[in-house]
Amino acid sequence: RVKRLKARTPTIDELSRLPMLLSNNRVLPSIWIATRLAEYSAQRRLTVRSAEHEEFTDCLPDFDLPHGWGVWVIPSWKMKTDRAHNIPLPPNVWLLVQDAKRLAGKSKWLFPQLRERRRGAGMTGYLSEKVINDALERIGLRFGPHDLRRAFAKHGRMRNNGGPGLSLDQVRLIMHPGAVDPENESLIGSYALDEFLEEKIEIMKRWCDWLDRLEKRSR
């Protein structure tokens, strides 16, 4: 059985202390990276845990990514919509993905399972939700990876004290891309309607830069 933590939204103080708390010898590197990827990308916990190597690229046809950036191309069958969801990843997050790939070795999963689900089942799956929740509880955190998605929805729109200052449409574009009206001229600009990559790059830069400033402030 998966032990689920009570749903709650991490506070700004908790987000600022998260990297320090995760840098604990009781937290395995793959769990550390999976939790940070959930925080930075604001994607669902299952989407993060079941991420595959082939979903990540630093080269897109007909689009030049900023230097050091990569893209997480989440396939359509993992989305509630019928199309792939592209999440641009800034250089520091892209480096985390490369670290995860090295740790995963030959597994097709970015975060392969750490132990058998049941005796004799083999080790071909991805990271268990229970393993992540147990690790976070051991270091005193009272929220799980999915709560980090709630943090993006709440704190991403904050404008005071140097907050990301994202609009509601921008938050939806990362969390619920199917909810964004493609006829909304304020979002269309000069980029392709099916990807919104330029807009997403700006969104992810503002969110991830804010998280990094929180981390520096807590040191």
Side-chain angles (χ1 to χ4, degrees), residues 28-82:
L28 293 175
S30 60
I31 295 176
W32 183 89
I33 297 173
T35 304
R36 294 309 313 267
L37 182 60
E39 178 190 22
Y40 280 121
S41 69
Q43 297 309 296
R44 293 180 173 85
R45 56 194 162 201
L46 178 58
T47 306
V48 173
R49 292 189 295 113
S50 65
E52 301 179 45
H53 285 236
E54 64 182 18
E55 295 173 11
F56 297 86
T57 181
D58 58 1
C59 182
L60 292 174
D62 303 321
F63 190 92
D64 292 328
L65 288 165
H67 178 70
W69 283 63
V71 176
W72 181 7
V73 183
I74 305 171
S76 58
W77 62 269
K78 289 187 178 181
M79 300 297 299
K80 292 185 176 180
T81 59
D82 292 328

Side-chain angles (χ1 to χ4, degrees), residues 80-216:
K80 292 185 176 180
T81 59
D82 292 328
R83 58 181 180 178
H85 186 27
N86 298 325
I87 300 293
L89 302 176
N92 61 325
V93 186
W94 188 242
L95 288 176
L96 288 179
V97 171
Q98 304 314 304
D99 288 342
K101 286 185 175 183
R102 285 190 289 272
L103 288 170
K106 295 182 179 180
S107 173
K108 75 171 186 175
W109 308 108
L110 192 66
F111 304 110
Q113 68 185 100
L114 300 175
R115 57 175 178 258
E116 289 183 314
R117 304 280 195 264
R118 58 185 180 278
R119 184 172 297 178
M123 296 282 286
T124 59
Y126 48 79
L127 194 61
S128 162
E129 180 181 349
K130 183 180 185 302
V131 169
I132 297 178
N133 288 346
D134 286 350
L136 297 184
E137 281 197 300
R138 281 199 302 272
I139 60 174
L141 293 178
R142 299 303 175 191
F143 56 84
H146 197 69
D147 297 317
L148 295 168
R149 185 171 163 86
R150 295 187 179 91
F152 176 77
K154 178 179 179 180
H155 304 308
R157 298 184 64 195
M158 187 180 70
R159 297 182 181 276
N160 61 325
N161 298 322
L166 302 174
S167 69
L168 180 58
D169 273 344
Q170 287 174 319
V171 169
R172 286 173 175 166
L173 192 55
I174 299 300
M175 295 186 67
H176 307 288
V180 177
D181 182 2
E183 299 302 322
N184 186 339
E185 293 294 334
S186 68
L187 282 178
I188 291 176
S190 61
Y191 38 85
L193 294 180
D194 60 336
E195 296 187 0
F196 296 100
L197 274 173
E198 290 184 9
E199 177 73 5
K200 288 179 180 178
I201 287 171
E202 175 62 22
I203 294 168
M204 297 306 294
K205 184 178 187 308
R206 285 160 64 178
W207 171 247
C208 295
D209 282 352
W210 182 71
L211 290 176
D212 292 341
R213 288 197 299 272
L214 289 183
E215 179 182 355
K216 291 177 182 177

